[in-house]
Amino acid sequence: MADGMTQLCDLCKRLRSSSFLSTKSKNMSNVVHLILASLTGVAVALIATYMPLIWRPVWIPSFESYAPGFNLVLAPQKALLEKSPLEGEALQALNVALEMLKERKRDKALKLFKQATALSPHHPDILLHYGEFLEEDDVIHAEHLYARALAVSPGNSRALANRGRTLPKVRQLDQEMLDKIDSKRDELFRIPKGSLAMKRAVTEAYYQHIYHSNAIEGNTMTLSMTRAIVETRMAVPGKSILEHNEVLGLDEAMKFVNGSLLQKQERVTVDDILEIHRRVLGHAHPLEAGRYRKTQVYVSDHVPPSPEEVDKHMEEFNSWLLSREPEMLHPIEFAALAHYKLVFIHPFTDGNGRTARLLMNSVLMRAGFPPVIIRFQDRYEYYEHLNHANHGDVRPFIRFVARCTQRTIEEYLSATTIYPVGHLKHPELTDSHEESAQ
């Protein structure tokens, strides 16, 4: 009986032991399965996120891979797709240019490429051939031509491949340019705040900004006249009341930017733009100041949105200003894009350019840059780059703003530098519109 009880106890122990091990093994198995499932989920998520960035057919680069904001094509596609009446002559010039290229007559080929582009500026084949001709010597211009071809024909595989090849090089060059400007800005920061030379330079730049911004729009006041009106509020003989009021309005708008927008912690919005415009036109056209236009306007060959669409476009513009995209851009890129978007919409009957330039400077000054002056004598280049942006590539306009920023900083540095005796200083601006002809 005792032996039987002993065997029974041993059997129970073995059963309990086997049951415990079975339960433990099952629990361990469940834990392992849970860990494996978690790792599988993480792996799938990583693959889904990064595989589109890692694996991509090299012959068709995606438009989404380009930097935000730079593929902005706000111009109506219909305007770009209109067939040139001289297209036949342009294609004939293109064929002759290709023949000259085969014969290694590059100078003649270049002239013919320029002629073909002038006759039919939006034909994708002409743009692509011309870009491929220029790519080795001028990759920036070549990439610009590829971008214009894509604006007309977004699915053009040849244009996508060409731009995918040139865009990284152009980005690198652009970044080097922006880094150089940043270093000059840092050099400007090192000037003592109490510098009298800097105070004089800031005051002079204030009057120059009013003069140049108004002169671009057709105001005939000279720099000395502009300064006299701002300082004394007295009339200048021989000049219209309208021109006087344009000077006073821009003075009020710049005071608003310097006194209010630069102190504002939040981002600049459309409401701030309306306040700028209210001051720009406050003296010249008080009934239109700070109000969207109610009529259609035309700017050279660009037809802005209809009056019924202005509110919608400005709401979208405001959403963009408050979005995260501007945060990913360099301040110069952000400022140039904000300027371009506003003048493309052209929300006001008058004063759009002056308001856009003040908006641009508001962005730059809030980022630590001095207010940039777009000079009267550069107005043709200024409008030409805005036109390029309407045709599908805003990068040339960004580079133009960057060059103006660099020149402005260099003028500040020059004005605050003590030169040794006999050293030649930079030439100063003259006091009339005749400087544009020099």
Side-chain angles (χ1 to χ4, degrees):
M1 187 67 179
D3 294 336
M5 290 297 293
T6 302
Q7 292 176 359
L8 180 61
C9 290
D10 292 336
L11 178 61
C12 289
K13 289 179 181 179
R14 288 196 298 271
L15 288 173
R16 283 197 300 270
S17 177
S18 64
S19 176
F20 173 78
L21 291 174
S22 176
T23 303
K24 187 175 181 180
S25 65
K26 288 181 180 179
N27 292 337
M28 289 296 292
S29 177
N30 291 336
V31 171
V32 171
H33 289 164
L34 182 61
I35 292 173
L36 290 175
S38 300
L39 292 175
T40 302
V42 172
V44 170
L46 290 173
I47 291 172
T49 302
Y50 293 104
M51 181 56 74
L53 301 178
I54 298 172
W55 182 85
R56 188 189 305 282
V58 294
W59 58 91
I60 306 180
S62 169
F63 236 50
E64 287 74 15
S65 65
Y66 302 148
F70 289 129
N71 303 300
L72 190 66
V73 184
L74 293 177
Q77 293 298 310
K78 181 179 178 182
L80 297 179
L81 294 174
E82 289 181 355
K83 186 175 180 180
S84 170
L86 301 175
E87 183 176 302
E89 186 177 345
L91 291 175
Q92 184 177 0
L94 173 64
N95 292 331
V96 178
L98 295 175
E99 290 296 327
M100 292 293 103
L101 197 56
K102 290 179 181 178
E103 298 176 8
R104 298 184 178 181
K105 299 178 180 178
R106 294 185 62 84
D107 291 340
K108 292 184 178 179
L110 176 60
K111 293 179 181 179
L112 289 164
F113 277 126
K114 289 181 177 179
Q115 180 184 359
T117 307
L119 293 172
S120 184
H122 307 309
H123 196 289
D125 290 340
I126 295 175
L127 294 172
L128 289 173
H129 280 294
Y130 189 19
E132 290 163 358
F133 171 79
L134 293 175
E135 187 173 326
E136 184 177 349
D137 299 323
D138 190 353
V139 67
I140 290 178
H141 192 184
E143 191 271 337
H144 166 65
L145 295 172
Y146 300 150
R148 287 174 55 185
L150 284 171
V152 180
S153 179
N156 191 311
S157 59
R158 180 177 163 197
L160 284 168
N162 287 354
R163 198 179 188 215
R165 181 178 62 253
T166 56
L167 188 58
K169 301 176 184 178
V170 171
R171 279 182 178 170
Q172 180 63 32
L173 293 173
D174 287 343
Q175 189 58 51
E176 291 173 0
M177 172 187 64
L178 294 174
D179 290 341
K180 182 179 179 180
I181 296 174
D182 286 342
S183 66
K184 287 184 176 292
R185 178 196 60 181
D186 296 341
E187 185 178 348
L188 195 62
F189 280 157
R190 290 192 286 271
I191 297 175
K193 291 185 178 180
S195 169
L196 293 177
M198 176 58 75
K199 290 181 180 179
R200 288 194 296 268
V202 169
T203 302
E204 185 63 25
Y206 185 89
Y207 297 118
Q208 287 193 17
H209 184 280
I210 297 175
Y211 160 68
H212 285 287
S213 194
N214 276 331
I216 288 173
E217 306 300 331
N219 190 299
T220 61
M221 292 283 186
T222 64
L223 178 59
S224 60
M225 290 176 182
T226 299
R227 182 168 190 147
I229 292 170
V230 173
E231 289 180 341
T232 67
R233 290 299 196 267
M234 294 181 65
V236 174
K239 298 297 181 180
S240 68
I241 295 176
L242 176 63
E243 289 185 318
H244 284 80
N245 286 333
E246 287 176 345
V247 171
L248 295 175
L250 202 48
D251 176 42
E252 293 292 334
M254 290 181 66
K255 288 177 180 176
F256 170 73
V257 170
N258 293 335
S260 297
L261 285 191
L262 295 188
Q263 308 301 323
K264 181 181 176 181
Q265 298 297 323
E266 300 82 9
R267 299 191 196 181
V268 176
T269 65
V270 165
D271 290 336
D272 298 317
I273 295 173
L274 290 171
E275 289 299 323
I276 293 174
H277 186 261
R278 184 173 287 112
R279 288 159 176 79
V280 168
L281 287 195
H283 293 272
H285 302 287
L287 296 180
E288 298 175 357
R291 298 182 180 181
Y292 295 148
R293 58 183 166 84
K294 301 299 181 183
T295 58
Q296 182 63 57
V297 293
Y298 302 90
V299 186
S300 186
D301 60 347
H302 168 57
V303 182
S306 65
E308 295 81 7
E309 298 176 323
V310 168
D311 282 321
K312 180 191 72 172
H313 282 283
M314 290 302 287
E315 288 175 4
E316 293 174 353
F317 182 36
N318 193 58
S319 299
W320 180 78
L321 289 171
L322 298 175
S323 69
R324 294 200 59 187
E325 182 177 336
E327 296 178 356
M328 298 184 288
L329 300 171
H330 188 279
I332 292 176
E333 297 167 337
F334 176 26
L337 282 172
H339 177 298
Y340 171 64
K341 283 174 176 281
L342 185 62
V343 295
F344 176 87
I345 301 170
H346 225 73
F348 310 112
T349 304
D350 191 18
N352 294 277
R354 283 164 284 175
T355 303
R357 289 187 286 276
L358 285 173
L359 171 63
M360 176 187 74
N361 275 332
S362 299
V363 173
L364 289 171
M365 293 167 72
R366 286 163 65 92
F369 289 88
V372 171
I373 298 173
I374 297 179
R375 300 180 302 183
F376 163 72
Q377 58 265 41
D378 296 330
R379 68 193 184 283
Y380 173 78
E381 185 181 1
Y382 171 55
Y383 288 135
E384 186 70 13
H385 289 310
L386 286 173
N387 191 46
H388 286 324
N390 289 339
H391 292 163
D393 188 10
V394 75
R395 279 180 179 268
F397 180 64
I398 294 173
R399 296 187 192 104
F400 172 75
V401 173
R403 290 194 298 273
C404 292
T405 304
Q406 179 174 340
R407 186 190 64 244
T408 300
I409 294 175
E410 288 174 348
E411 288 175 353
Y412 273 100
L413 292 173
S414 175
T416 56
T417 300
I418 300 176
Y419 293 94
V421 177
H423 183 83
L424 295 176
K425 297 199 296 184
H426 293 292
E428 297 180 356
L429 293 175
T430 60
D431 187 29
S432 72
H433 290 10
E434 296 176 358
E435 59 189 337
S436 62
Q438 296 177 359

